[in-house]
Amino acid sequence: MTQHVCIVVGLAWGDEGKGKIVNSIAPNFDVVCRWNGGANAGHTVYIDGKKLKTHLVPTGIFSGKKCVIGPGCVVNVDKFLEEISYLRSNGFDTSLVKVSPRAHIITEAHVRYDNYYLKEKLGTTGNGIAPCYSDKMMRKGVLAREALPKEFLWDEKLEGKILCEGAQSVWLDIDHGNYPYVTSSSTLPYSACSLGFTHKDIHRVIGVAKIYDTRSGNDPIEFPESLWGQELLDRIIEEGQEYGTTTGRKRKVNWLFLPKLIKAINLCGVDELIINKCDVLEKIGYFRLYDAGEMLEFSSLEEMENYIVKEIHEKTKVNDVIFSSNKDGI
Ligand code: IMP
Ligand code: MG
């Protein structure tokens, strides 16, 4: 059966506002799925003014949709059950949440190894992600079907209109990111096919970006610590509240590096592009980006947006570019 699949993918280093977009379009779908990563992600949405977070469960749960955590994901049983109780106590129907029997289980030993050996060196979230994927590849991992209560196991049927929610984004991808400052999963849309459909079933790819770049965790080459303490960038951190959903860490911020965004769009085959948090630049009153080897300065947000649209239409196959502000509520 041909399926109808839409994919939402982050085009930077995470934290572009994917959760907000997925939450706004989820009512049009039957199933919302995660295909990669684990509770290292942090998706924040506002429902009736209330701030809600998920780390592993797809944000489709807020729209009462069936939610699937795919075979490419990694699951910490305690954290998963904690998230289930949190969602249930907030009034959501958690019987909709299903985990692939072939997802891998993050053990105590994975978490300990990550925190002891990797967290400081690589700036990981300390969730045991790398050791768990490592055991998966060594073929000595523990599968969800051996560790999760039966009620949560997915029957591996995927029908109807399917929305896939990316986590961790293009530049944290194990193959395409700045290794070793990456995560241990595949974050690009093709990898969503691990859920059980083919690339031909993907009808639409929505790419989510932000009008400036941010990075949580370490990358001494692309995001040196010297980015902190620069007055305008520090103001972006405060106006944009650039603190990690999962770790609470202050993110490093830089002006948008446009050639990298264009590369991400082309790697993912993006049809529609959403650029979030434009209001933050408006609040600080500076409109800058890097392109063609230099920093360009614009006199207004509109002028900057026009430049971005022109470059994107010239260099990618994107149909629509939507600029969004937090206040737009999407
Ligand atoms: P890990 O995925 O916990 O191993 O962390 C590897 C790198 O990816 C670190 O730099 C993390 O800060 C970063 N990272 C992992 N998940 C996310 C996310 O959801 N948003 C932003 N950064 C992330
Ligand atoms: Mg996040």
Side-chain angles (χ1 to χ4, degrees):
M1 193 183 97
T2 308
Q3 287 156 329
H4 188 288
V5 179
C6 171
I7 294 184
V8 174
V9 62
L11 297 171
W13 291 264
D15 313 312
E16 304 91 348
K18 295 180 286 294
K20 185 173 81 160
I21 305 300
V22 171
N23 186 50
S24 71
I25 62 173
N28 307 326
F29 292 84
D30 300 306
V31 194
V32 184
C33 312
R34 277 271 307 267
W35 78 81
N36 76 296
N40 45 349
H43 293 168
T44 309
V45 299
Y46 288 83
I47 309 235
D48 300 330
K50 190 173 179 189
K51 184 175 181 173
L52 293 164
K53 290 180 190 182
T54 61
H55 293 287
L56 183 63
V57 174
T59 37
I61 194 66
F62 302 125
S63 309
K65 300 295 173 178
K66 182 172 176 182
C67 287
V68 169
I69 295 161
C73 294
V74 286
V75 180
N76 178 315
V77 178
D78 289 346
K79 283 207 160 179
F80 171 73
L81 295 175
E82 229 171 74
E83 193 161 305
I84 292 288
S85 333
Y86 162 82
L87 291 166
R88 197 176 286 153
S89 66
N90 277 286
F92 299 100
D93 178 4
T94 52
S95 71
L96 295 163
V97 180
K98 301 291 168 196
V99 181
S100 165
R102 291 175 291 128
H104 274 251
I105 295 294
I106 298 176
T107 64
E108 267 304 305
H110 294 149
V111 175
R112 252 182 283 129
Y113 186 98
D114 192 4
N115 280 281
Y116 196 80
Y117 292 107
L118 307 178
K119 194 171 179 178
E120 204 178 313
K121 193 169 96 188
L122 298 177
T124 70
T125 63
N127 276 288
I129 303 295
C132 181
Y133 278 113
S134 167
D135 277 354
K136 173 180 176 173
M137 293 307 168
M138 287 292 284
R139 284 163 271 159
K140 55 179 193 171
V142 178
L143 299 179
R145 66 170 176 245
E146 300 162 51
L148 273 186
K150 287 273 172 286
E151 57 178 302
F152 291 114
L153 292 179
W154 181 37
D155 59 9
E156 300 191 300
K157 286 196 191 111
L158 202 54
E159 279 157 9
K161 293 175 85 179
I162 298 151
L163 177 60
C164 301
E165 177 175 23
Q168 286 100 32
S169 307
V170 171
W171 301 125
L172 292 175
D173 180 88
I174 184 78
D175 297 312
H176 294 278
N178 185 22
Y179 191 95
Y181 305 107
V182 292
T183 191
S184 302
S185 65
S186 296
T187 63
L188 273 67
Y190 70 82
S191 166
C193 295
S194 62
L195 283 156
F197 49 81
T198 81
H199 62 287
K200 291 179 182 170
D201 299 319
I202 302 173
H203 283 223
R204 185 174 165 210
V205 175
I206 301 176
V208 188
K210 213 153 54 177
I211 197 135
Y212 49 86
D213 286 337
T214 63
R215 177 70 157 95
S216 45
N218 299 358
D219 184 338
I221 297 144
E222 296 197 24
F223 287 84
E225 297 217 344
S226 57
L227 288 167
W228 280 329
Q230 297 189 27
E231 199 209 329
L232 290 178
L233 298 180
D234 280 354
R235 276 173 62 194
I236 294 179
I237 295 177
E238 294 313 316
E239 289 295 346
Q241 277 303 297
E242 296 298 345
Y243 294 90
T245 313
T246 301
T247 55
R249 295 176 296 184
K250 185 164 83 171
R251 297 173 184 146
K252 294 184 193 83
V253 170
N254 205 351
W255 307 103
L256 178 71
F257 193 69
L258 189 58
K260 205 140 178 144
L261 174 60
I262 286 171
K263 193 169 173 192
I265 290 170
N266 288 329
L267 274 172
C268 294
V270 171
D271 301 301
E272 280 156 80
L273 171 65
I274 298 171
I275 302 184
N276 275 326
K277 284 201 159 174
C278 298
D279 53 330
V280 173
L281 291 195
E282 213 144 37
K283 277 188 198 138
I284 69 157
Y286 284 84
F287 310 97
R288 294 178 177 173
L289 56 77
Y290 294 105
D291 196 19
E294 55 179 343
M295 188 199 280
L296 305 181
E297 174 121 30
F298 302 89
S299 59
S300 67
L301 181 61
E302 197 188 348
E303 197 186 301
M304 179 166 168
E305 290 178 354
N306 289 342
Y307 181 86
I308 293 173
V309 169
K310 181 179 76 56
E311 288 296 309
I312 282 175
H313 281 144
E314 254 170 46
K315 295 176 180 159
T316 76
K317 292 180 181 161
V318 162
N319 298 318
D320 294 314
V321 185
I322 297 165
F323 292 94
S324 156
S325 293
N326 276 355
K327 58 181 184 284
D328 296 343
I330 64 158

